[in-house]
Amino acid sequence: MRALPATVLAVCGLIASACGGTGTGGAAAGQAAPATEAGQAAATAPTKEAAAKEAPAKDAPPKAKPLEGKVVVIDPGHNGGNYRAPKAINRKVNVLTQMKACDTTGTSTNDGYSEAAFTWDVSKRLTKILENRGAAVKLTRTSNNGVGPCITERAAIGNKAKADAAISVHADGSAPGNRGFHVIMPKKINGPVDKVVGASGKLGVAVRDAFRKGTGLPYSTYIGRKALDYRSDLGGLNLSTVPKIFVECGNMRNATEAAKFRDPKFRQKIAVALANGLQHYLQS
Ligand SMILES: [Zn+2]
């Protein structure tokens, strides 16, 4: 979640609407596919005898899915277009404990795989898994070529959705020798987040345990205790009124972890682990 050097960025002047970016196209495209699949199934199924024989089974009441009725907001950290809009993303916003940049570019592997692309891919995978388990999922951005939204808006999306759990997906950019993942949870700040600090702590431990088990990545060697860290400087946490955590999936500047993050199979492993942690919390 660390930003590129300040020299890359400039001071802001753009209006807030620039933070909306080019987001909506992705959502429309994403929604189109399932509709098409459903349409094909409806058109072909009645003509096949086999399908007709199976029909009663399909009409049987569906098994209740484990996350039916739960709302999860996933916040894929940063955005692929942020580097193009330094003025918009450097605009200072109030995160209650301080003024902070609206968003940052995020980090990348040494060979140029960006954190924004990584968090977007993992978040899409996580969305699919949670939806298959019955949850209603909302993302804070709908593509990886837009700008923002600001951290204040990312928190507001979770609040507005009245999410049962919210998770902000990131990867760190630390010294090359540093290893491992960590989870960041909110602290009491004498603000609206205080009432969900306890629940966020439980969510954090559930995701920490599932992430360790599912990915095999070590606890962070350089932040927190047993991969648990508590902060009061993150807008995405300070401004949340629903249980929320950040996960830093590992260190993109470490060669071992960078290679794993580039592998789609490993990203799927991360997404399944995150889903398992969220589910454990949501069913507890
Ligand atoms: Zn980040």
Side-chain angles (χ1 to χ4, degrees), residues 24-279:
T24 49
Q31 284 160 1
T36 307
E37 279 169 28
Q40 285 169 348
T44 54
T47 66
K48 292 186 179 176
E49 258 179 62
K53 279 179 193 168
E54 285 168 14
K58 282 180 185 170
D59 291 341
K63 256 189 177 176
K65 293 181 175 179
L67 296 180
E68 207 76 61
K70 301 292 184 185
V71 177
V72 179
V73 166
I74 305 172
D75 174 36
H78 315 283
N79 200 331
N82 281 2
Y83 73 96
R84 283 191 272 106
K87 287 181 180 177
I89 67 164
N90 280 334
R91 183 168 69 84
K92 290 287 187 283
V93 296
N94 185 353
V95 304
L96 304 181
T97 53
Q98 60 189 286
M99 297 297 285
K100 264 197 138 166
C102 151
D103 203 6
T104 59
T105 57
T107 188
S108 72
T109 62
N110 287 338
D111 58 356
Y113 181 48
S114 76
E115 182 189 353
F118 168 78
T119 66
W120 176 239
D121 183 82
V122 168
S123 296
K124 277 193 302 180
R125 292 171 187 274
L126 177 56
T127 299
K128 202 172 280 182
I129 298 163
L130 291 173
E131 285 178 345
N132 285 341
R133 295 182 188 182
V137 179
K138 188 161 178 58
L139 287 155
T140 59
R141 57 180 169 105
T142 52
S143 78
N144 193 41
N145 48 37
V147 176
C150 288
I151 51 179
T152 48
E153 177 60 19
R154 290 172 192 262
I157 290 168
N159 297 347
K160 194 179 169 198
K162 295 188 165 56
D164 294 292
I167 185 166
S168 196
V169 181
H170 288 259
D172 213 353
S174 185
N178 287 338
R179 286 288 319 267
F181 76 96
H182 67 281
V183 172
I184 308 170
M185 290 152 287
K187 277 179 170 174
K188 287 191 177 176
I189 56 166
N190 223 349
V193 73
D194 290 11
K195 68 181 167 86
V196 293
V197 162
S200 301
K202 286 180 188 159
L203 172 60
V205 169
V207 169
R208 187 275 311 265
D209 290 347
F211 197 96
R212 175 80 185 95
K213 192 177 173 195
T215 67
L217 285 179
Y219 291 161
S220 173
T221 59
Y222 62 99
I223 289 180
R225 277 174 64 88
K226 295 186 176 173
L228 301 178
D229 191 27
Y230 301 84
R231 286 172 64 171
S232 58
D233 64 316
L234 296 174
L237 296 181
N238 286 354
L239 296 165
S240 184
T241 57
V242 298
K244 184 169 180 185
I245 60 165
F246 276 44
V247 59
E248 295 281 355
C249 295
N251 178 14
M252 296 194 94
R253 297 291 180 180
N254 174 274
T256 304
E257 289 173 12
K260 287 180 188 292
F261 293 162
R262 275 194 168 278
D263 177 2
K265 283 188 203 138
F266 194 80
R267 295 198 296 272
Q268 182 67 18
K269 218 177 231 192
I270 289 175
V272 170
L274 293 175
N276 290 345
L278 285 159
Q279 182 171 336

